[in-house]
Amino acid sequence: MTAATETPKPHLLELLWRAAPETSRGPRKGLTVDEVVAAAIALADAEGLEALTVRRLAQSLGKAPMTLYTYVPGKTELVALMLDALFERMEATAVEGPWRERLAAVARDNYALYRAHVWAASAAPSRPPLGPGQCTKYERELQALEGLGLTDVEMDDALAHLLAFVRAAAQDAAQSEAEREASAQSDQEWWEANGPLLAKVLDVEKFPTAVRVGRAAGEAHDAAYNAEHAFAFGLERTLDGLAALIER
Amino acid sequence: MTAATETPKPHLLELLWRAAPETSRGPRKGLTVDEVVAAAIALADAEGLEALTVRRLAQSLGKAPMTLYTYVPGKTELVALMLDALFERMEATAVEGPWRERLAAVARDNYALYRAHVWAASAAPSRPPLGPGQCTKYERELQALEGLGLTDVEMDDALAHLLAFVRAAAQDAAQSEAEREASAQSDQEWWEANGPLLAKVLDVEKFPTAVRVGRAAGEAHDAAYNAEHAFAFGLERTLDGLAALIER
DNA sequence: ATCGTACTCTGTACTATATACAACGTACGA
DNA sequence: TCGTACGTTGTATATAGTACAGAGTACGAT
């Protein structure tokens, strides 16, 4: 084995941009990276990120588990590819209207994406690797901030801030949904089981404000609407916060 | 075995409030829930949440792995207990001064908590279970919003919004730090490896705004200070957003 | 004082994960 | 035509959470 023969692991960036050097020797590939990624997304969409195992994925593609490692160096890289593919195909509202509506649309598009692909919210780093999908998305979303008198750095800061809010909100929504499903208990059962203890322990003397506010919040939105409400409230606050910068 | 003999698994709430019914039969317990939780926190602080395994934790306590299941029903509950313990001991700035300073202090306290216990940011649900620590924290933090003319529901919304921002920011900071350490590459090495490809692929024609803004942002804050900057920027925006509600 | 039993503790075992490694076979380039 | 680079796969390893059953302990009832 000479030094020139060594083929280092393909970098993540090469994979993202599908820039791996082509080889012609050996048997034909039975799959493409895109097929693997698409199957992985389908699986994660249907059954969640924890159900996305190399075995299950290989099975759904009709291959042996280890075969996938020919296409993708490991699971980490696979998830990065899945995310970028999502960004690439993402549905986006056209950028138009006053700035507040434009940014609200960006937020809602992202929220819809994360709600449709729950796993993405927990998998996405705040600054995903620079794949084609991410770049396209970044470019498009920056348009919504163009011409508002912000510096370039402020544009980046503002967008990152908005997107971080959306991702957190989507993650919270998904989690509260998952918890409700997992606990298989109805609200009534839960209260029957835990109410007595809580009543004893949630001392109004000790937690006066918490009890008062907590009760009000609980009554206002029955748990089901909580997450959507939090998103709506948070979005208005976030846009108000950016307004202070933009309309300065 | 009669029905009356059955001892159902202790609910999480009972554990959180240390309200498990005492038993006197059998050998003395060699540990307490608090000791287990404290050891788990120490381990997670030192080596991260992924290093917190039942085996390692048991070893650090000088017990066999399965012994821990006498104290805690499972790992999920353990993490919940760890979080609540953290909240209980959390250092908090006194609530005083104008509202903006009070809320900024709440944010900074939470940020410091999550930066000191990196695992907590990723483990914490947005609405952690109602343990004593969580209640104490909620009560204290609501004080910072008292007397501002908000309704009870708005107080809850506003606090949740602020805390969600802080958690997301801390998570991002931790993640970018972890990535930098994991990749063991210096920035220079990274650019040498990936620069050529990026230069080819990041077409200025196709991504004009992205390239311009991305470059400006990259130059403005070298990656190391990025996260802290994002927190500072985001905090101001979040407080501005709440100001629109409070000073309405 | 004795004895049953509830309870702690522990060793073993099961299932499932990601993935390293080596064997096998294919088909291109020389 | 043949060597070799490479796709594919079976086997194997390390590590996870935790179910289960056996062994020993000490309180409470008798």
Side-chain angles (χ1 to χ4, degrees):
Chain A
M1 180 167 68
T2 67
T5 312
E6 287 183 40
T7 315
K9 259 190 188 177
H11 298 297
L12 177 54
L13 267 187
E14 281 175 5
L15 268 160
L16 282 165
W17 291 93
R18 306 294 193 276
E22 297 210 15
T23 62
S24 50
R25 300 283 272 268
R28 302 284 153 66
K29 290 202 169 219
L31 296 169
T32 62
V33 173
D34 289 280
E35 283 173 306
V36 173
V37 171
I41 291 177
L43 185 52
D45 282 351
E47 308 191 37
L49 200 56
E50 71 287 342
L52 175 65
T53 68
V54 177
R55 287 162 227 265
R56 294 267 330 246
L57 180 56
Q59 194 184 6
S60 85
L61 287 163
K63 298 280 172 183
M66 287 310 291
T67 302
L68 302 191
Y69 288 90
T70 324
Y71 298 90
V72 161
K75 202 183 176 181
T76 322
E77 289 83 358
L78 175 62
V79 174
L81 286 166
M82 291 165 64
L83 258 183
D84 205 69
L86 226 54
F87 291 154
E88 187 125 47
R89 322 199 271 252
M90 175 179 181
E91 287 196 23
T93 310
V95 171
E96 51 186 32
W99 72 263
R100 194 172 173 115
E101 276 178 33
R102 298 206 303 266
L103 289 190
V106 167
R108 276 190 291 262
D109 288 344
N110 274 273
Y111 192 72
L113 178 78
Y114 287 129
R115 295 300 284 144
H117 308 276
V118 174
W119 54 271
S122 54
S126 53
R127 298 290 179 140
L130 286 174
Q134 168 65 14
C135 287
T136 307
K137 181 170 183 282
Y138 186 48
E139 173 74 24
R140 172 173 17 92
E141 291 171 345
L142 280 174
Q143 300 300 336
L145 283 155
E146 193 80 293
L148 299 179
L150 299 182
T151 66
D152 286 348
V153 176
E154 284 170 335
M155 284 175 67
D156 181 69
D157 287 339
L159 181 56
H161 179 61
L162 180 66
L163 294 182
F165 156 71
V166 172
R167 192 165 72 94
Q171 213 169 347
D172 289 351
Q175 189 173 13
S176 77
E177 205 169 85
E179 270 167 23
R180 203 167 36 254
E181 281 174 21
S183 83
Q185 282 181 319
S186 69
D187 282 1
Q188 194 190 341
E189 283 170 327
W190 190 90
W191 274 106
E192 278 171 18
N194 296 309
L197 175 60
L198 274 185
K200 199 176 304 169
V201 112
L202 279 186
D203 189 351
V204 189
E205 309 272 319
K206 208 172 168 194
F207 308 113
T209 326
V211 170
R212 189 192 81 217
V213 172
R215 178 168 310 167
E219 284 169 7
H221 13 263
D222 64 353
Y225 275 38
N226 219 331
E228 302 308 319
H229 169 78
F231 173 65
F233 176 89
L235 178 54
E236 291 310 312
R237 293 295 78 70
T238 304
L239 293 176
D240 285 346
L242 291 174
L245 187 72
I246 291 169
E247 294 165 357
R248 171 182 47 177
Chain B
M1 181 164 72
T2 68
T5 312
E6 287 183 41
T7 315
K9 260 191 190 177
H11 297 299
L12 177 54
L13 268 187
E14 281 175 4
L15 269 160
L16 281 165
W17 292 94
R18 306 294 193 275
E22 296 210 16
T23 62
S24 49
R25 302 283 272 267
R28 300 283 152 65
K29 289 202 171 220
L31 295 169
T32 62
V33 173
D34 288 281
E35 283 172 308
V36 174
V37 171
I41 291 177
L43 185 52
D45 282 350
E47 308 191 38
L49 200 56
E50 70 288 343
L52 175 66
T53 69
V54 176
R55 287 161 225 265
R56 295 263 334 244
L57 179 57
Q59 192 184 7
S60 86
L61 287 163
K63 299 280 172 183
M66 288 309 292
T67 302
L68 303 190
Y69 287 90
T70 323
Y71 297 89
V72 161
K75 203 183 175 181
T76 321
E77 289 82 357
L78 175 62
V79 174
L81 286 166
M82 290 166 65
L83 258 183
D84 205 70
L86 226 54
F87 291 154
E88 188 126 47
R89 324 199 268 254
M90 176 179 180
E91 288 195 23
T93 311
V95 171
E96 50 185 34
W99 73 262
R100 194 172 173 112
E101 276 176 33
R102 297 207 303 267
L103 289 189
V106 167
R108 276 190 290 263
D109 288 345
N110 274 272
Y111 192 72
L113 178 77
Y114 287 129
R115 296 299 285 143
H117 307 277
V118 174
W119 55 271
S122 53
S126 52
R127 297 290 180 140
L130 286 174
Q134 168 65 12
C135 288
T136 307
K137 182 170 182 284
Y138 187 47
E139 173 73 24
R140 170 172 20 91
E141 291 171 344
L142 281 174
Q143 301 300 335
L145 282 156
E146 193 81 291
L148 299 179
L150 299 183
T151 68
D152 285 350
V153 176
E154 284 172 333
M155 284 175 68
D156 181 69
D157 287 340
L159 180 57
H161 180 61
L162 181 65
L163 294 182
F165 156 71
V166 172
R167 192 164 73 94
Q171 214 170 344
D172 289 351
Q175 189 172 14
S176 76
E177 204 169 84
E179 269 168 23
R180 202 164 38 252
E181 282 175 20
S183 84
Q185 282 181 318
S186 69
D187 281 1
Q188 194 190 341
E189 283 170 326
W190 190 91
W191 275 105
E192 277 170 20
N194 296 309
L197 175 60
L198 274 184
K200 199 175 305 170
V201 113
L202 279 184
D203 190 352
V204 188
E205 308 273 317
K206 209 172 167 194
F207 308 112
T209 327
V211 170
R212 189 193 81 218
V213 173
R215 179 166 311 164
E219 283 169 8
H221 17 260
D222 63 354
Y225 277 43
N226 216 333
E228 301 308 319
H229 169 79
F231 173 66
F233 176 90
L235 179 54
E236 291 309 311
R237 294 294 77 69
T238 303
L239 294 176
D240 285 345
L242 293 174
L245 188 72
I246 291 169
E247 295 165 356
R248 174 181 45 179

